[in-house]
Amino acid sequence: MSHEKVFHEGVQEDAVLESLGYQQELKRSFGLIGMIGFSFSIVTSWSALGGVLIVGVESGGPPVMIYSWIGISVFALAVAYAMAEICSAYPVAGGQYSWVAVLAPPSVARGMSYVTGWFMITGILAMGATNNFIGANFILGQANLSFPNYTIERWHTVLLTYLIAWISTVINIYGPHLLDKISRVAIIWNIVSFVVVVITILACNDHKQPASFVFKDFQNFSGFGTAYCAILGLLQSAFGMCCYDAPAHMTEEMLNASREAPKAIVMSVYIGAITGFIFLISVCFCIGDITTTAESTTGVPLIEIFYNSTQSVVGACFLTSTLVVIVLICANGLLAEASRSLYAFARDKGLPFSSTIAKVDPKRQVPVYAILLACVVQMALNSIYFGTLTGFNTVISIGTEGFCTSLFPSSPYLPPAPFPPKIQAKTNDNQQTPDLSYAMPLLARLTSPTTPLPGPYTLGKLSVPLNILGLLFLLFTSITFNFPTLSPVNEEDMNYTCAAIGVIALVSIATWVTTGRRGFTGPQVQVVEGVGGGETGKGEGKVEAGGGEKIVTPESESG
């Protein structure tokens, strides 16, 4: 790419950002490939699905997991396409809450945007803590497999989560120029690891499950009826397809973001759909005895599957180590995404101490205080595991409640001591609802369905149908993710997702009443001619989020 082209792209995107009421402060270094790698390093569908295998088998079995994966991927694409079109029109780090501020009716835009922002940010931070927890359990699971006498303690897990968080923080502060390079390497590592894992377990496993087990046999260990169990299995499969909004929060660091960020959002879903489908089939053939896998002393059933397939501690640890690298890269990406979201929300005066959090280091061109805040919050959330398993499950619930269209069955990852293995395998009290921050902009978009969006990435006549399809999917899962998953229902097996929704709602309402309604601004839209590539690029106007008047000034004759 020539210097002239880079300059042109940078100036154009800076103008788009200025039309939204912001000044360019972050350095634009990401290209399309790097951003696809960044997004997929967070989505990582195939490796994420490794954590839901046991619960999926118990709730309908492999047939439900595999066939529902196809359906989930289709609906996720509808959501991704709808979000990509909005992102193209409004490429700002605030992502969903900024889109809501612009698209929602003026009378409710500011309040709706504020609530969306709290769901989004809380979810991203909690998901970062969850990812660090997964990484720690992968590492400690290998230690237990290698040294069977080693007992995993809670404090071991928490200290490792701290280390992962701090490694990500150091990279984000002192190596922001490396993020694009790391992301380019990440997508190669991710795909190569996927190929190595799939080929290895299929080639080495000489006692595979029959095809009927994988594609036909329905299994129900939930205690509920067949139809209800199938719904649970459908939702379990949704875990592997989440967090694909990541490029939206990095648009202010992308070259030609209006065109490339939407492509990165959609491409990460396509790659995830294909790799997830192949991985699910492969692992279901190699899963071995379900009880043995569920009660593995490693606390990570996927490690037991690797060991069952290779019959080698070294082989299982090698395959698991490839996933550890993916988790570490994901931790780095989630911290970057969280810090940019905090920075954007603080820039709009949506947080306490906003002026400090929104500061950008002039030398490194990154929001250092936002990065540090994201790290501290992640560590605080991980610290809950010191005292209570149920409390940390709620953290995971909040993460997916506000951030991902997914489930996260934390139980299979939990260290076996001091909890009985059967409780780990059966407990699934953290069934998650879909990403409310995904649903809000789609709903806001449908309030003016005939108004074309100004971005160069457009869906044309498919825009409204895809928004409706995506919204219906999110509404369906937002209801069914609240269902209990085991019968009879008791305090251990209860689904506490509703409580997670309540926590976020109370926080957002309390902060809105105390500070938000007076200080929160949101984007200030000014349509600039020649920028964005859409038909609405002509003329000049301004939309103040939160009920401000919509003023449109016709283009002057001289312009």
Side-chain angles (χ1 to χ4, degrees):
M1 182 180 292
S2 66
H3 292 293
E4 183 178 341
K5 186 175 181 181
V6 170
F7 179 78
H8 172 71
E9 289 176 350
V11 170
Q12 184 182 30
E13 293 302 322
D14 291 353
V16 174
L17 191 62
E18 187 175 351
S19 73
L20 294 169
Y22 306 111
Q23 293 295 318
Q24 179 65 36
E25 296 181 282
L26 308 178
K27 184 178 181 180
R28 295 190 183 277
S29 58
F30 272 97
L32 176 60
I33 301 301
M35 188 49 62
I36 292 175
F38 180 88
S39 182
F40 188 62
S41 70
I42 295 176
V43 176
T44 55
S45 298
W46 69 275
S47 57
L49 284 169
V52 301
L53 292 172
I54 299 305
V55 184
V57 167
E58 293 173 346
S59 302
V64 172
M65 294 166 58
I66 292 171
Y67 299 133
S68 67
W69 177 251
I70 298 173
I72 290 296
S73 297
V74 170
F75 285 110
L77 276 171
V79 178
Y81 272 116
M83 291 175 61
E85 183 182 41
I86 303 173
C87 179
S88 177
Y90 309 110
V92 59
Q96 294 96 302
Y97 87 84
S98 297
W99 304 339
V100 169
V102 176
L103 297 173
S107 59
V108 298
R110 199 160 66 99
M112 189 174 171
S113 170
Y114 189 80
V115 172
T116 302
W118 270 103
F119 269 99
M120 180 189 76
I121 290 173
T122 307
I124 296 174
L125 291 169
M127 183 56 68
T130 301
N131 180 77
N132 298 345
F133 183 75
I134 294 173
N137 283 318
F138 272 136
I139 295 170
L140 294 175
Q142 292 180 78
N144 176 268
L145 182 66
S146 303
F147 305 97
N149 292 329
Y150 165 63
T151 300
I152 302 172
E153 303 288 351
R154 286 187 185 184
W155 65 272
H156 301 165
T157 305
V158 176
L159 290 182
L160 266 178
T161 64
Y162 291 171
L163 177 61
I164 294 172
W166 273 108
I167 291 174
S168 301
T169 301
V170 170
I171 295 174
N172 269 268
I173 292 177
Y174 294 102
H177 58 288
L178 299 175
L179 289 180
D180 181 63
K181 296 181 177 65
I182 292 174
S183 298
R184 289 171 181 265
V185 172
I187 192 168
I188 297 173
W189 179 274
N190 215 318
I191 298 300
V192 170
S193 298
F194 161 75
V195 173
V196 169
V197 167
V198 168
I199 291 178
T200 300
I201 62 175
L202 289 178
C204 294
N205 192 305
D206 58 0
H207 47 284
K208 297 180 180 68
Q209 294 283 4
S212 59
F213 173 84
V214 177
F215 297 107
K216 183 180 177 182
D217 294 345
F218 186 92
Q219 301 186 42
N220 184 0
F221 298 92
S222 68
F224 293 105
T226 301
Y228 186 99
C229 179
I231 292 177
L232 297 181
L234 169 70
L235 298 178
Q236 286 287 354
S237 299
F239 172 65
M241 190 60 73
C242 64
C243 313
Y244 41 84
D245 66 318
H249 304 289
M250 304 298 291
T251 50
E252 295 179 33
E253 293 165 72
M254 287 189 68
L255 298 168
N256 203 7
S258 298
R259 295 182 181 276
E260 308 297 16
K263 296 176 185 177
I265 291 173
V266 174
M267 284 301 298
S268 63
V269 176
Y270 274 111
I271 298 173
I274 295 170
T275 55
F277 181 70
I278 297 172
F279 179 77
L280 270 179
I281 293 177
S282 303
V283 173
C284 286
F285 271 111
C286 301
I287 200 169
D289 181 73
I290 294 176
T291 302
T292 302
T293 303
E295 297 181 356
S296 170
T297 58
T298 64
V300 184
L302 192 58
I303 295 180
E304 181 64 27
I305 293 172
F306 290 161
Y307 179 68
N308 174 67
S309 297
T310 63
Q311 295 296 306
S312 167
V313 172
V314 174
C317 288
F318 173 79
L319 296 179
T320 306
S321 295
T322 64
L323 295 177
V324 170
V325 174
I326 292 173
V327 170
L328 293 176
I329 295 173
C330 180
N332 188 61
L334 280 169
L335 188 72
E337 181 184 1
S339 64
R340 276 40 167 198
S341 300
L342 284 168
Y343 156 75
F345 206 47
R347 183 174 58 183
D348 287 327
K349 299 179 177 60
L351 296 171
F353 310 106
S354 286
S355 58
T356 300
I357 299 171
K359 285 183 179 179
V360 174
D361 184 276
K363 180 180 179 181
R364 298 185 177 90
Q365 292 183 278
V366 292
V368 174
Y369 291 109
I371 293 172
L372 292 173
L373 176 61
C375 175
V376 170
V377 174
Q378 285 184 2
M379 292 174 63
L381 293 173
N382 283 128
S383 298
I384 296 174
Y385 188 56
F386 271 131
T388 169
L389 167 63
T390 302
F392 189 74
N393 279 350
T394 303
V395 171
I396 299 171
S397 183
I398 291 174
T400 48
E401 180 75 48
F403 188 48
C404 333
T405 53
S406 67
L407 299 174
F408 190 88
S410 65
S411 302
Y413 283 115
L414 298 178
F419 303 100
K422 285 188 180 296
I423 293 296
Q424 298 174 50
K426 296 291 185 180
T427 301
N428 193 25
D429 60 351
N430 56 328
Q431 298 296 314
Q432 317 308 333
T433 60
D435 184 355
L436 296 178
S437 70
Y438 284 10
M440 297 284 252
L442 270 62
L443 176 61
R445 170 71 177 111
L446 290 173
T447 59
S448 300
T450 59
T451 303
L453 295 176
Y457 189 96
T458 62
L459 300 176
K461 294 181 179 180
L462 292 177
S463 179
V464 173
L466 288 176
N467 272 269
I468 294 175
L469 185 63
L471 182 60
L472 289 176
F473 167 66
L474 295 173
L475 292 176
F476 168 76
T477 50
S478 68
I479 296 171
T480 52
F481 269 109
N482 289 275
F483 293 169
T485 57
L486 292 176
S487 180
V489 180
N490 53 44
E491 62 180 10
E492 290 181 338
D493 299 329
M494 181 59 186
N495 185 346
Y496 292 99
T497 301
C498 291
I501 297 175
V503 169
I504 303 174
L506 287 174
V507 170
S508 61
I509 292 172
T511 54
W512 173 258
V513 172
T514 55
T515 59
R517 63 178 178 174
R518 293 192 299 271
F520 181 66
T521 57
Q524 311 270 325
V525 179
Q526 298 176 358
V527 183
V528 180
E529 182 178 1
V531 176
E535 294 180 3
T536 57
K538 293 183 179 181
E540 183 175 285
K542 182 175 181 180
V543 178
E544 293 185 0
E549 271 189 69
K550 292 189 176 182
I551 306 171
V552 180
T553 304
E555 184 181 12
S556 65
E557 293 293 329
S558 59

